[in-house]
Every structure is written in C-alpha cells, then in structure tokens.
Amino acid sequence: MPTRKAATTPQRRAPASAKSEQRVRDILRVGREVFSERGYERSTTTEIAQRLGISEATVFTYFRGKRELCVRVIAEWYDEITAAIERGLPRDQPVRAQFDFFVHAHLRLFLGHGTGMCALVLSEGRDKGPADLGDAVLPLHRRYTAPLMDLLARGQADGVVRSDVPLRLLRSLVLGPMEHLLWEAVSTRKSMDVNAQARAMSMLLWSALAAPGAELAALRALRDAVERSLDEAAQI
Amino acid sequence: MPTRKAATTPQRRAPASAKSEQRVRDILRVGREVFSERGYERSTTTEIAQRLGISEATVFTYFRGKRELCVRVIAEWYDEITAAIERGLPRDQPVRAQFDFFVHAHLRLFLGHGTGMCALVLSEGRDKGPADLGDAVLPLHRRYTAPLMDLLARGQADGVVRSDVPLRLLRSLVLGPMEHLLWEAVSTRKSMDVNAQARAMSMLLWSALAAPGAELAALRALRDAVERSLDEAAQI
Amino acid sequence: MPTRKAATTPQRRAPASAKSEQRVRDILRVGREVFSERGYERSTTTEIAQRLGISEATVFTYFRGKRELCVRVIAEWYDEITAAIERGLPRDQPVRAQFDFFVHAHLRLFLGHGTGMCALVLSEGRDKGPADLGDAVLPLHRRYTAPLMDLLARGQADGVVRSDVPLRLLRSLVLGPMEHLLWEAVSTRKSMDVNAQARAMSMLLWSALAAPGAELAALRALRDAVERSLDEAAQI
Amino acid sequence: MPTRKAATTPQRRAPASAKSEQRVRDILRVGREVFSERGYERSTTTEIAQRLGISEATVFTYFRGKRELCVRVIAEWYDEITAAIERGLPRDQPVRAQFDFFVHAHLRLFLGHGTGMCALVLSEGRDKGPADLGDAVLPLHRRYTAPLMDLLARGQADGVVRSDVPLRLLRSLVLGPMEHLLWEAVSTRKSMDVNAQARAMSMLLWSALAAPGAELAALRALRDAVERSLDEAAQI
DNA sequence: CATGAATGAGACTTCATTCAT
DNA sequence: AATGAATGAAGTCTCATTCAT
C-alpha cells in the first residue's frame, strides 16, 4: 500500500503527445477488458500490463493507480453509451417511439461489448472500502438515465404515461427489468437475441407505463357521447 | 486482492457432534455478518475468527476454505428466506393477495438483515474465475423464486395475469424493479419505509402484470351499454 | 512507497506466549542490527527477515509495519541505556563523580553496541514525511537526559556548576561535544579508546561547567600567600 | 526504499558551454532546495526535474546520478560557507575576536538558508552502503573547520587557549554544542534569535576554551614578583 | 542537446491456508 | 478438537536510470 499515503511528492504525469494518447487508449481498452472480466478486486495491474505486453510500471506512468484506472474505464464507457443514446434518440417522434429506442439501445449497449461492463458497473458501483467506485459512478449513471427521465416526464405531461406513481418508481420499473434480464444473461452466460428481447421488453414495459385509464377514458367519453346522442335522438 | 490458490489438499472433515454443530452455526452466523458488511473479497477469515474469539485455523477445520464458507452462508440465507416465503404464502387466497404478500416479504427479507446480504448476493453472484459463487447461487435463487413463478403461472391460467408475454419476462418485470429499488437503498444508504414502498410497488407491478383483459372487459361493458341504450332507444 | 490505507480490518495480533516473545525479541534484535547499519530508509524488511531465516510475512505477524518495528527498536534501546544510566548513577557521591559516571556511561553505551544506534537515533529522530520517527524519539531522549539535567541543576544549587548560563545551554555544552566525538568515530570508522576519551572529555567538560569560583579560590590563595610573605617579612 | 544499482555504464559527459553551465547551476540550485527539504532518500529526481520544468533525463545528462548530484550540492554549499568564513575572518584581530566571528558565522550560515542543508549534511553525511556521502563530505567538513583549527592552535601558542587537551577535543568542544543547538532548532522547528544565541554560545565556549590558569598564572607571576620584592626588601 | 517513454528491480504489505502440537 | 505459528504467493506502487529519436 500499499500504502495509503499523503502524496507530498508530485506525481509523474503523462504528457499529451500522440504516442502517449495511444498508450492511454490501449491501457483503457485492455483495462476495460480485464475489469469487465474479473470485477475490480480480482483484476490485477499485472494482468493488464501483461496483456499489453508492457511493463507494469508503464501503467502507473499513465494512471495514478488501479483505482483511478478503473474509474476512467467506467467513465469512458458511460461516455460512450450516453453519447450513443443522446445521438440516436428520435426527439421529434412521439414519446412511445423514443422509449422504444431507449430500450433497444440500452440492451444493445450493455450487452454489446460483452456483459462484463454491465456486471462491473452494476456490481462495483457501490460503497466498499478503499476502492469506492460508487461515488464516481453515481453521477455518470444519472447523466446516462437523464434522457429516460425526460422522456417519462414528457410522457406524463402528455398524459400518455401514468401519473399516479412517482417518476422514481417508474425509473425502477423500466431499468429494473432490463437489468434483471441482463443479470440473467450474465449469470447463465447464454447469448440472447437482443432485438427480439428488446421488442418484447419494450412492449411489456410500455404497457406497464401507459396511463392505465387512457383507453378506458376514451371509451367512456365515447359511451357518454353515444348516450347523449341517443338521448337526444330519443327526445325527438 | 490476489487470487489465492484453490485448495488442493483434502481437508480433515469436521465431525457431527452437538458441539461441532454449534461451532458450525457460530461460524456461519459471524460469516454472514462479515460477508454482508464487506462483500466477499474484502472479508477476511482473520476477522471472522477474531469476532468469534477463536483461531483462524478452527474456521478451516469446519470449512474447506473461505469460498466454501461464503457459499454456505449464502445458502443458509436463501434457505431462510425461501422458507419464510413458503411458510407465509397465503395459498388459499386469490393470486393477487399472494402476489402482494410476495412483494412485501421480498422487500422485508432483503432489507431486514441490513442490506448486506442483499448486496452480497447481488454483487458476488456472478462469473469470476474458477469456483465462482454464481454457479452455487443460481439454483438457490431459482428455488427462491419458484413460488413467484407458480403464482404467476396460476394467475395466467386464471386469466388475471397477462398471457401475452413469456413467464420469464414477467419474472424480470417483478424482480427487476424490486432489486433496482434495493440497489438504490443500498447505494444511497438511506433507510426507507419498507411497508409503504412495498404497497406502492405491489400496486404498480400488479397493474403491469394484470391481464390486458381489463380493457377488453371495459370495451365489453361499453358494448353492453351501447346495446342497452339502443334497446332503450328502440323501445321508444 | 506503499499505500497507506485506512485500517478498517482488525490486524492480526501476536499472542504473548513464550515462543512468541522469543520471536519478538529476535526480530527486535536483528531489526536493531539492520536499522543501525543502514538507517531507516535504506533498511528493508526483506533483509531483516532473511537474516533471521524467516519469512517476511512473519515479521508482519509480530509488528504492524516497518515503521512500528523501528520505533520499537529505538524505544528498546533507549530503555536499555536509560536504565543503565539510572541504575549505575552514584547518587550518594558528589555531583562531580556523578557527572564523571554519566560521561563514561554515555560514551560507552552509544559506542558499545556499534555506532549504528547512535547514528540511527541522531539521524532519524527528526521530522521527515511518513516515517516520522521524531515524535516517538523525542520523549525517549528527554527521559534519557533527565538524570543529567538533574545533576546539573543540583550542581548549580550546590554552587559547583556555573549558574550564569541557562541549563539548556549547559546541556548542549555537555551532550554536544560527546555527540560530535561520536559522529567523528562513526564517520571515520576508527575505533577509539572509550575509557581514555571519556576521561579526557569528562575533565574538559567539567572544567567548562565548573563554577568560575575557581578563580576566586585562586585569588584567595594569592591573598594568603601575600599575607604569609608579609608575616615572614615582619618577623625579620 | 530500495537500494538502487550503482551506475555502471559510463555516462556521456556534459560539455562546458555557457548554456551548459547555466543548466548545471540550475540543477544544483533546485537540487539544493529539494535535498534540503526532504533529505536524500526522500528526494526524487522527478521532483527536481519538475521544479525546473525540464525532463528527468536532462538531469542525468549533467550528473551521473542522484548520488553524484547530491554530493555536488553539498560540495557547493560547503564551498560557499567555507568561503564566507575565510573571507570574513578578522585575521589581524586577537584570537578571541576571531573565535567570536566564527561562532556567529557558523550559526548564521547553517541556519541561514533554512535548516535544510544543515539537516542534510548532519544526517546524510554518514556510513551507508557503497558510494556513501560520508566519504565525500568528510574532507569538505575538514576544510570548512580548518580556520577554526588554525585559530585554536594559534590561541594555544599564545597561551590564551588551554593546552592541556588535544586540539581534536577542543574542536568537538566548540562544534559539538553548536550542532546540538542546531539540531534542536531543526527538531523543534522553532526559529531562534541567531545573534543572541551566538553571543551566549561564544561566551560560554570561550570560557571553556580559555587557558584555565591564565589568570592564575598572572596571579602567580604577581605573587612571585611580590615575594621576590619582599625577599629583596628583607635582605636589605 | 533534450527528452518522451519505458522499465527492471525492488519495497512494503496482506491473507488464505497448512501443520505440528 | 483446537490452535499458535509460520508462510508462499501475490498485489500495488515507486523510482533511478536508459535510450532512441
């Protein structure tokens, strides 16, 4: 600890040349591989270095430590998927279509690069002693889910999403089943037909989200109209 | 944390005297405490032994190793909560009431003994290297959720639960949001009003599960109303 | 430098059996050797373990870390020499004799076990970053020099030690030259005749400490001589 | 900190252009800063380079290694203070006045540039493994103290400094207390009134150095003269 | 000449596990 | 049956030093 030690000595900082940046990218790439395969605690800087065929010391030239590397790996990944969501979201289409996109994209992104990142984030994004990744992960996750939250809020405003339940619960209602599905995929190590699953999931979730009385209300309005018409007709 | 070498030497097995059984129970009890406070990797056999005031070696007299101990701890816990569910489930009441019980019990059990076991299971039940916990946990989890699956199946047979979606997806729809909620509780370390949350969650989930027949029924009612109106109109 | 880590996990503590105590003594003995040969920073736990023919891990079973071991080594040594001084000091004899004893004992003790401890204490007893031995050493040193301070104070009270200079300066006047001599011995690695040096040093220092009354005595003697001469002259 | 391997490869030597000399001076200047702030072992070539805004490799272009740099830093410093002493020494004044100057200058120089150099020299000038600093420092220190030795020798020749003690011991008597005082200043990190301390110290040391019989001898001479006079008077 | 980049060697420390008693 | 004692294996991290460009 290694020592936890007040760093009084300035750290060697890596410069920003083209070569350096490539190194940083390489280490991040392999770091993502290893961390997602093994989780934080069981990953070793040794393995990361070995897979790259470089010295362990080199890793520490570019990252202050294992912890920082892992945070960077997670951050990069969140940046990617957040960008993918934000880039692809069809904002000019109805809420329902946007929701559909989100579900598809979410499942695709989390399973796309292997299930490892998914597991890493789900599992390590939590307070445990020194390697407290949770504090670093939480804001990233919030940013990632922001589009979903917007979308649901807009849905509520438009009356197509139920308003009888707090937004927070709706978020759980959406993300929960998807994460559960992902866990299952991770646990059983079975591959799955992402598109089919996404379609089914989106349909299911939307029916759970949809304003429950929407159709009913429409029907009642219809009935009332019919009744009124009939009454009027009867009075003639 | 380094990967330890898997135990290759056959261990002396502990006998089954009354005293021995007490020892086993003690170790399991404290093991549960420690594992749930720290997670698997950050727990140490040293601490477990120290809390019991016994020698580390004694732990290894009764358990082949740290991993086996942890698996046993998790298994015991699943046995308990599975039994609690099975014992309390009001099988003679309608599916809806049973579902309600399950949701309440689930949240209560997972948060009851602190969030630690919840976190341990959610977090360590996952693919990591050889001898992983995941393989041991999966069947336990399946057994635990069996009553829920039964219940949903029965609901489908009775027509009160939607049948347009595979059971597997429905399970995710139920367990997913609850786990999501639990994670949130664990992450933010905020205590929550379990009963209130359970009520809201149960209501929400049930409305998502409920056979979309509800609308059909409404439509049927409309048809009837219209018919009635027409009949009345015809009588004039 | 290893990481400092907030120790949340209880440390393995060594028990207090006879065997254990022997181990502790062994490690302290060899630790003293190594630390005094190399100084703190250049000493390694590896070497200490190797000289004992034990595993490095064993060292850490008995001492929390390098730092603590070194502090213990220094403390033990101070205990020894402090005890030796306090045990041997001839308190019933005149201050001058006690001072003589102190000087002899000091030189003997500091050079006795090699010059290493002397160097270690002189050199490492000072604020430098993480391994701040200074705070641990200062009170030990004060306790060690307490008898000397007492002795000087008593000397002042008795009028045999000069009172025109603060005690603090007198302490520097006594310890300074001795340490200087020891440094020289350490630096040049020449052995020296401790007894002879001690005799000369004691004499020199005492003459520097002695109450300037000496000259008054001389003047008195002169007066007497003159008087005697005058008497003799008068008898003529 | 690990023992580094002594440089075995012959280094490229730096040229002696004006620019190069400036570089050397810069590195020496910053090296002095760092070494005196942190001591030898805890200083890093990284930090020295960073403070200068140059590459670490550049440091090694001009100095064979860390150790050589440190030796040069110490040597430069000794050159400065030696020159200061030799320049200021009032050689045409009495020994006592010269001594006074030396004491003042010594304290001023050692504490002047912070206590760091003082600590560095006092602390690292000592036996440690191969290529130690002690061997390099000793001759520098001897040269530095040469004026003092001269001065004391002259004092003995003139009869104003005691001759009953070897010069070597007298040197310890002078330098010892001063170093002791400096250590104290360094350890306690308290600033001190250099001039006042120097005055007191000079007075004290001189009274310890002064030929103890000087006054007595004068008195004896007086007595003899008196006796002789009386005798002569008696014979009349 | 200067340096960006890399690294070998090693330091301290932790911990699950074994085994003689 | 219990444990005191020991340790192998591994892990994270540091830093002086080299060398191609």
mmCIF file of all heavy atoms in Angstrom, chain A residues 1-6 8 130, chain C residues 1-6 8 130:
data_model
loop_
_atom_site.group_PDB
_atom_site.id
_atom_site.type_symbol
_atom_site.label_atom_id
_atom_site.label_comp_id
_atom_site.label_asym_id
_atom_site.label_seq_id
_atom_site.Cartn_x
_atom_site.Cartn_y
_atom_site.Cartn_z
ATOM 1 N N MET A 1 0.314 -0.331 0.000
ATOM 2 C CA MET A 1 0.000 0.000 0.000
ATOM 3 C C MET A 1 0.550 0.579 0.000
ATOM 4 O O MET A 1 1.141 1.030 0.463
ATOM 5 C CB MET A 1 -0.575 0.373 0.551
ATOM 6 C CG MET A 1 -0.677 1.590 0.824
ATOM 7 S SD MET A 1 -0.528 1.918 0.826
ATOM 8 C CE MET A 1 -0.547 1.674 0.892
ATOM 9 N N PRO A 2 -0.428 -1.715 -0.165
ATOM 10 C CA PRO A 2 0.165 -0.426 -0.423
ATOM 11 C C PRO A 2 -0.384 0.589 0.514
ATOM 12 O O PRO A 2 -1.512 0.556 0.899
ATOM 13 C CB PRO A 2 -0.316 -0.120 -1.788
ATOM 14 C CG PRO A 2 -1.558 -0.929 -1.862
ATOM 15 C CD PRO A 2 -1.446 -2.055 -0.914
ATOM 16 N N THR A 3 0.595 1.132 0.519
ATOM 17 C CA THR A 3 0.430 2.063 1.312
ATOM 18 C C THR A 3 -0.473 3.006 0.988
ATOM 19 O O THR A 3 -0.307 3.440 0.038
ATOM 20 C CB THR A 3 1.646 2.552 1.281
ATOM 21 O OG1 THR A 3 2.497 2.035 1.343
ATOM 22 C CG2 THR A 3 1.788 2.973 1.647
ATOM 23 N N ARG A 4 -1.755 3.674 1.857
ATOM 24 C CA ARG A 4 -2.442 4.949 1.627
ATOM 25 C C ARG A 4 -1.570 5.988 2.237
ATOM 26 O O ARG A 4 -1.294 5.990 3.414
ATOM 27 C CB ARG A 4 -3.806 5.072 2.308
ATOM 28 C CG ARG A 4 -4.848 4.487 1.448
ATOM 29 C CD ARG A 4 -4.440 4.239 0.054
ATOM 30 N NE ARG A 4 -4.772 2.940 -0.398
ATOM 31 C CZ ARG A 4 -4.101 2.009 -0.197
ATOM 32 N NH1 ARG A 4 -3.173 2.164 0.445
ATOM 33 N NH2 ARG A 4 -4.366 0.913 -0.591
ATOM 34 N N LYS A 5 -1.169 6.897 1.494
ATOM 35 C CA LYS A 5 -0.142 7.786 1.971
ATOM 36 C C LYS A 5 -0.460 9.155 1.447
ATOM 37 O O LYS A 5 -0.931 9.304 0.338
ATOM 38 C CB LYS A 5 1.168 7.325 1.349
ATOM 39 C CG LYS A 5 2.370 7.643 2.153
ATOM 40 C CD LYS A 5 3.518 6.960 1.507
ATOM 41 C CE LYS A 5 3.502 5.473 1.759
ATOM 42 N NZ LYS A 5 4.751 4.833 1.375
ATOM 43 N N ALA A 6 -0.242 10.162 2.250
ATOM 44 C CA ALA A 6 -0.443 11.509 1.737
ATOM 45 C C ALA A 6 0.613 11.757 0.670
ATOM 46 O O ALA A 6 1.801 11.710 0.940
ATOM 47 C CB ALA A 6 -0.320 12.518 2.856
ATOM 48 N N THR A 8 2.911 13.743 -1.015
ATOM 49 C CA THR A 8 3.508 15.068 -0.936
ATOM 50 C C THR A 8 4.386 15.298 -2.148
ATOM 51 O O THR A 8 4.679 16.415 -2.509
ATOM 52 C CB THR A 8 4.367 15.202 0.323
ATOM 53 O OG1 THR A 8 5.348 14.159 0.303
ATOM 54 C CG2 THR A 8 3.520 15.047 1.572
ATOM 55 N N PRO A 130 -11.887 1.104 0.443
ATOM 56 C CA PRO A 130 -10.968 1.985 -0.265
ATOM 57 C C PRO A 130 -11.361 2.219 -1.722
ATOM 58 O O PRO A 130 -11.349 3.327 -2.198
ATOM 59 C CB PRO A 130 -9.645 1.223 -0.217
ATOM 60 C CG PRO A 130 -9.777 0.255 0.897
ATOM 61 C CD PRO A 130 -11.222 -0.049 1.046
ATOM 62 N N MET C 1 6.496 3.936 -2.759
ATOM 63 C CA MET C 1 6.044 3.932 -1.368
ATOM 64 C C MET C 1 4.700 3.222 -1.321
ATOM 65 O O MET C 1 3.865 3.420 -2.177
ATOM 66 C CB MET C 1 5.852 5.367 -0.917
ATOM 67 C CG MET C 1 6.095 5.518 0.547
ATOM 68 S SD MET C 1 7.367 6.732 0.831
ATOM 69 C CE MET C 1 8.548 6.234 -0.409
ATOM 70 N N PRO C 2 4.524 2.407 -0.408
ATOM 71 C CA PRO C 2 3.259 1.705 -0.320
ATOM 72 C C PRO C 2 2.151 2.623 0.064
ATOM 73 O O PRO C 2 2.337 3.708 0.556
ATOM 74 C CB PRO C 2 3.492 0.702 0.782
ATOM 75 C CG PRO C 2 4.633 1.237 1.536
ATOM 76 C CD PRO C 2 5.416 2.100 0.629
ATOM 77 N N THR C 3 1.081 2.155 -0.169
ATOM 78 C CA THR C 3 -0.095 2.911 0.069
ATOM 79 C C THR C 3 -0.435 2.924 1.519
ATOM 80 O O THR C 3 -0.367 1.900 2.143
ATOM 81 C CB THR C 3 -1.129 2.113 -0.588
ATOM 82 O OG1 THR C 3 -0.642 1.822 -1.814
ATOM 83 C CG2 THR C 3 -2.351 2.775 -0.599
ATOM 84 N N ARG C 4 -0.844 4.011 2.043
ATOM 85 C CA ARG C 4 -1.413 3.994 3.399
ATOM 86 C C ARG C 4 -2.879 3.770 3.214
ATOM 87 O O ARG C 4 -3.516 4.366 2.357
ATOM 88 C CB ARG C 4 -1.260 5.311 4.150
ATOM 89 C CG ARG C 4 0.118 5.638 4.538
ATOM 90 C CD ARG C 4 0.817 4.700 5.487
ATOM 91 N NE ARG C 4 2.211 4.791 5.377
ATOM 92 C CZ ARG C 4 2.782 4.326 4.291
ATOM 93 N NH1 ARG C 4 2.092 3.807 3.386
ATOM 94 N NH2 ARG C 4 4.046 4.385 4.188
ATOM 95 N N LYS C 5 -3.387 3.030 4.063
ATOM 96 C CA LYS C 5 -4.763 2.605 3.877
ATOM 97 C C LYS C 5 -5.423 2.772 5.222
ATOM 98 O O LYS C 5 -4.814 2.475 6.232
ATOM 99 C CB LYS C 5 -4.717 1.131 3.517
ATOM 100 C CG LYS C 5 -5.884 0.660 2.724
ATOM 101 C CD LYS C 5 -5.636 -0.769 2.305
ATOM 102 C CE LYS C 5 -4.690 -0.910 1.125
ATOM 103 N NZ LYS C 5 -4.657 -2.250 0.595
ATOM 104 N N ALA C 6 -6.632 3.244 5.213
ATOM 105 C CA ALA C 6 -7.321 3.312 6.493
ATOM 106 C C ALA C 6 -7.571 1.890 6.942
ATOM 107 O O ALA C 6 -8.201 1.108 6.262
ATOM 108 C CB ALA C 6 -8.638 4.040 6.340
ATOM 109 N N THR C 8 -9.409 -0.629 8.385
ATOM 110 C CA THR C 8 -10.726 -0.889 8.933
ATOM 111 C C THR C 8 -10.794 -2.323 9.427
ATOM 112 O O THR C 8 -11.603 -2.662 10.249
ATOM 113 C CB THR C 8 -11.808 -0.685 7.870
ATOM 114 O OG1 THR C 8 -11.520 -1.555 6.776
ATOM 115 C CG2 THR C 8 -11.833 0.745 7.399
ATOM 116 N N PRO C 130 6.386 10.516 6.029
ATOM 117 C CA PRO C 130 5.604 9.433 6.615
ATOM 118 C C PRO C 130 6.290 8.772 7.808
ATOM 119 O O PRO C 130 5.661 8.531 8.820
ATOM 120 C CB PRO C 130 5.504 8.434 5.454
ATOM 121 C CG PRO C 130 5.793 9.203 4.226
ATOM 122 C CD PRO C 130 6.639 10.351 4.610
#
